[in-house]
Amino acid sequence: MLNRKQAQEVKDFLHSKRIGRPVILLAISYANLRDDELQVLILRHLHGHTQERVAEELGVSTNTVYNKEHSALECCYHAWKTVPLVIKLMDAARE
C-alpha cells in the first residue's frame, strides 16, 4: 500500500526540472507498468493532463484513471527502491 508521502515522492521525481524527460522515462521503464498504467502516468505527469482530460481521451471514468494512476505510482515507488541508479537520480532531483 502506498501512502501519500510515498506517492508525492514519486510525483516530485516525475515533475523534477533537474532530471530530463529521457531519464525519467528510463526510470519509469524499471517499474514494468502495464500499458494502461503507463499511458495514464505519462499523460498525467509528463503531459500535465487532468484526470478528467485523461478519462475523456481514454474513454474511461475518472475513477478508473485515479486507480490506474495510483497503481502506477505504487509500482514505480516499489521498483525504484531496488534500483541504485534510480535511487541516485531521486536524490539528485531533491537537491
Side-chain angles (χ1 to χ4, degrees):
M1 187 65 131
L2 192 69
N3 65 40
R4 287 180 193 248
K5 182 181 176 194
Q6 294 165 331
Q8 191 59 52
E9 187 176 340
V10 174
K11 290 176 187 179
D12 289 346
F13 178 73
L14 293 172
H15 294 270
S16 174
K17 301 292 185 208
R18 298 184 62 127
I19 306 296
R21 185 170 284 193
V23 176
I24 291 171
L25 290 170
L26 174 65
I28 290 170
S29 73
Y30 284 104
N32 294 319
L33 301 175
R34 294 189 324 256
D35 289 344
D36 56 345
E37 293 170 336
L38 178 62
Q39 192 172 22
V40 167
L41 192 72
I42 288 173
L43 289 172
R44 288 277 294 133
H45 297 284
L46 297 184
H47 291 273
H49 295 182
T50 63
Q51 287 183 345
E52 292 79 12
R53 182 170 175 188
V54 173
E56 185 178 311
E57 289 180 21
L58 300 180
V60 298
S61 70
T62 54
N63 277 346
T64 298
V65 170
Y66 171 84
N67 290 333
K68 290 178 188 298
E69 179 182 3
H70 186 77
S71 177
L73 293 172
E74 186 170 14
C75 286
C76 287
Y77 180 81
H78 292 297
W80 293 352
K81 292 300 177 186
T82 66
V83 181
L85 171 65
V86 178
I87 293 169
K88 288 180 182 181
L89 291 170
M90 291 180 83
D91 289 342
R94 281 189 219 111
E95 295 175 355

